[in-house]
Amino acid sequence: MAYLRWRRFVEMVSLDRPWVGELFMRKRHKPIVAAPVEKWDREYRDGVYDRLARSDQRHHHRLLAAMIADRWPNPRILEIGAGEGVLFEAFRAHAPARYVGVDFSAPAVEKGLERLSAERAAGQVELLLGDGRTFRSDEAFDVVVFSECIEHLGEVEDLVAHYAPNLKPDGGVGLTMWLALKPLRLWHRLKRLGRVLDEAAVNTPWGGGWLVAVVRPVRATATALMMTLAGLASVVPTDAFAAPALDLPLSVDLARAAVDACAAKGAAVSAAVVDDKGNPLVVLRSPASPKPPVAAPRKAATAVQFDAPGSVMEPREKTDPAFAALIKAEPERLNPHAGSLPLHMGGQLVGGLAVADTSHETADACAREALARFAGKVN
């Protein structure tokens, strides 16, 4: 019991402090692997998920339904990974105008068709067999829901962009997720795509818990406003859900500006720009630099992971034992030294810039000078 309470404490703290989750996560580099459809089919046939219909298993469903109905009365809902359509029963009291549930397990859909036969006959409910990663529809919905399945559907940014055409201009994404450290990484990435409208954690007597949230993509709001002002037809562009992102020309310009700024100071350096996941976009090295360009990408990726400049992280490593332990645990990946900056567009984290192979003070000055040259595009 003490372990469960400690784990719950760590998971709750990690909601707002991702670095805590990274510190305590076991097998952090091992990817989440989705179970094959045969496993789900077998478990649905065996009644393993019958328990999901119990009242004590649906607190998070009722909360999500209330969050959604509060913002979209009589909502139109698309649920991906719907299983037997159990979530609809939480929406029933809110009189949804339309509910479409999609799942890739045929036994689950068959059970749902029987469970919700009356609503199907009335045209309120439709349950479809389909892969949540590739399913397509011509319908528009107020909200697309991923209930305890988002960790099985691939990259969250790609997933959200895929369903953008199905969202009305003021639509959102609904989420329930079992509280666990590795899936919480996806929640932090989803938050970067837009504005959190509602967020709560539901704890259970047996020590588990769920995250329940509704997010509105930042560009969906802007698109709705522009379309209203322009008097255009309410057609959602396919990139309405896309997060701000660095393009390659700007990344090259930032890295080159950093190298040039240091050259003017008599320092031959390496510079790197990474995307919002810490993946290198550009790595430049002055021919006179004394070292291979290894440190700069690590520094830039660390600035992204903690959304903080190296000038802040470097002293923190000396005064914060937990933070220092996290850095020490991954010396080949993390470098919190000065000379790195997180990059933002429209308030969203989009990547990182770093300079290395000179003094920390010079590297920091060069990075800031480079960023200042493009302040109108990125900050």
Side-chain angles (χ1 to χ4, degrees):
M1 182 60 71
Y3 169 73
L4 291 176
R5 289 178 177 174
W6 168 248
R7 189 178 71 181
R8 179 63 57 243
F9 170 76
V10 171
E11 290 162 351
M12 294 295 289
V13 172
S14 300
L15 285 171
D16 296 317
R17 299 171 179 85
W19 65 269
V20 174
E22 295 292 326
L23 177 63
F24 289 98
M25 191 183 305
R26 293 180 295 179
K27 300 180 180 179
R28 62 173 61 88
H29 297 303
K30 186 176 181 181
I32 299 173
V33 179
V37 67
E38 293 79 10
K39 177 180 182 294
W40 297 98
D41 287 351
R42 182 176 63 255
E43 292 180 346
Y44 273 111
R45 289 193 187 99
D46 294 344
V48 171
Y49 300 113
D50 290 350
R51 69 180 188 278
L52 299 181
R54 299 201 319 248
S55 178
D56 65 346
Q57 291 279 329
R58 293 192 290 120
H59 302 313
H60 58 304
H61 285 173
R62 289 190 285 266
L63 178 57
L64 178 64
M67 286 179 173
I68 289 172
D70 184 56
R71 294 183 180 276
W72 298 281
N74 309 117
R76 294 178 59 86
I77 307 145
L78 171 63
E79 184 187 4
I80 303 302
E84 301 174 30
V86 174
L87 180 60
F88 173 80
E89 297 180 356
F91 278 104
R92 185 181 278 120
H94 302 285
R98 174 78 165 151
Y99 170 90
V100 176
V102 179
D103 200 278
F104 75 158
S105 172
V109 173
E110 290 168 6
K111 287 190 173 186
L113 292 174
E114 182 178 352
R115 177 195 295 273
L116 301 176
S117 58
E119 290 82 359
R120 288 175 49 237
Q124 184 185 26
V125 168
E126 187 172 4
L127 293 175
L128 302 171
L129 183 66
D131 189 327
R133 296 165 296 184
T134 58
F135 174 79
R136 295 188 182 278
S137 170
D138 294 330
E139 289 191 60
F141 298 88
D142 296 300
V143 64
V144 178
V145 173
F146 303 97
S147 184
E148 287 122 274
C149 69
I150 199 167
E151 64 269 32
H152 301 299
L153 297 173
E155 298 295 329
V156 66
E157 295 84 0
D158 295 340
L159 179 69
V160 170
H162 176 76
Y163 287 103
N166 296 114
L167 275 178
K168 294 181 179 180
D170 66 340
V173 168
L175 176 77
T176 69
M177 174 189 291
W178 185 251
L179 273 178
L181 294 180
K182 192 170 288 186
L184 279 176
R185 282 176 167 175
L186 300 177
W187 167 234
H188 296 134
R189 287 165 59 181
L190 178 59
K191 289 170 73 172
R192 294 175 186 170
L193 299 182
R195 183 165 64 92
V196 178
L197 301 180
D198 283 299
E199 178 183 2
V202 176
N203 290 311
T204 66
W206 61 86
W210 290 280
L211 169 70
V212 184
V214 179
V215 176
R216 174 174 289 157
V218 65
R219 287 197 181 181
T221 303
T223 300
L225 178 59
M226 289 188 293
M227 291 171 67
T228 300
L229 293 175
L232 299 176
S234 57
V235 177
V236 183
T238 57
D239 67 344
F241 233 161
L246 288 170
D247 59 28
L248 190 58
L250 178 57
S251 300
V252 172
D253 289 344
L254 282 165
R256 187 184 299 276
V259 171
D260 290 346
C262 275
K265 301 178 190 298
V269 301
S270 296
V273 176
V274 301
D275 64 17
D276 62 342
K277 302 179 189 67
N279 300 315
L281 291 170
V282 176
V283 179
L284 293 182
R285 173 182 173 271
S286 169
S289 177
K291 299 179 181 180
V294 175
R298 292 177 182 174
K299 291 171 71 171
T302 307
V304 168
Q305 177 163 328
F306 298 101
D307 195 6
S311 59
V312 171
M313 292 187 289
E314 188 168 355
R316 178 182 174 185
E317 185 182 16
K318 300 173 182 178
T319 60
D320 185 336
F323 181 74
L326 178 59
I327 299 299
K328 186 177 180 180
E330 297 188 82
E332 297 302 313
R333 191 174 70 88
L334 299 177
N335 184 332
H337 294 162
S340 62
L341 299 169
L343 302 174
H344 299 84
M345 288 180 173
Q348 303 296 303
L349 179 67
V350 295
L353 165 68
V355 176
D357 307 329
T358 185
S359 71
H360 296 176
E361 294 78 8
T362 300
D364 190 65
C366 295
R368 293 181 184 278
E369 287 181 26
L371 183 58
R373 287 186 54 185
F374 300 94
K377 297 180 179 180
V378 63
N379 55 63

